[in-house]
Amino acid sequence: MDAESALKFQMIRQGEVELDRDRALVGFLKDRIAERAKAAEEAEEQLLAGVARVLAEFEEKIEHPHRYDEQNDYFAGQLQALGWSLRCAAAAFPAHPDFREDFRP
């Protein structure tokens, strides 16, 4: 395998690892939102609703074919910003048994 092919393979593999993390992050946050919503007061309900909106947009985008398209820097930037903000939200639950270290921002 030449150097260019090896680099492409590494980028594809890294993308798959990130996609697996992002899918797990979506599930983790959906479960935390559902748990917290049961006892949330108005301010927390608003916060959870905001996180849920960001989560829905992120979930739609992570499966989009442009996820790894270097020609579409705006889309990639959106995806990174959404993912980072959701990893910040997940970091509020570090003691949860389903929390993964790769969720940290």
Side-chain angles (χ1 to χ4, degrees):
M1 181 182 299
D2 65 21
E4 184 177 337
S5 296
L7 180 60
K8 286 181 182 178
F9 176 76
Q10 181 181 357
M11 290 175 66
I12 290 169
R13 180 67 189 125
Q14 181 180 359
E16 290 172 357
V17 169
E18 289 175 359
L19 184 57
D20 288 344
R21 178 208 58 208
D22 291 347
R23 287 176 177 152
L25 177 65
V26 166
F28 178 80
L29 286 172
K30 282 182 174 182
D31 290 347
R32 301 300 69 77
I33 289 169
E35 288 171 2
R36 295 297 311 160
K38 294 174 187 173
E41 295 180 12
E42 185 177 345
E44 188 177 7
E45 284 177 0
Q46 291 175 354
L47 175 64
L48 293 172
V51 172
R53 282 192 301 275
V54 173
L55 187 59
E57 183 176 348
F58 182 69
E59 185 175 22
E60 175 189 333
K61 288 182 184 301
I62 63 172
E63 302 298 341
H64 198 278
H66 292 300
R67 179 181 174 93
Y68 305 112
D69 184 0
E70 293 178 9
Q71 301 300 317
N72 196 340
D73 290 339
Y74 180 74
F75 181 85
Q78 284 182 315
L79 192 60
Q80 289 175 354
L82 291 168
W84 184 83
S85 65
L86 290 170
R87 288 191 302 278
C88 287
F93 304 97
H96 193 280
D98 295 334
F99 182 81
R100 294 175 23 176
E101 284 302 312
D102 63 349
F103 289 168
R104 291 191 187 279

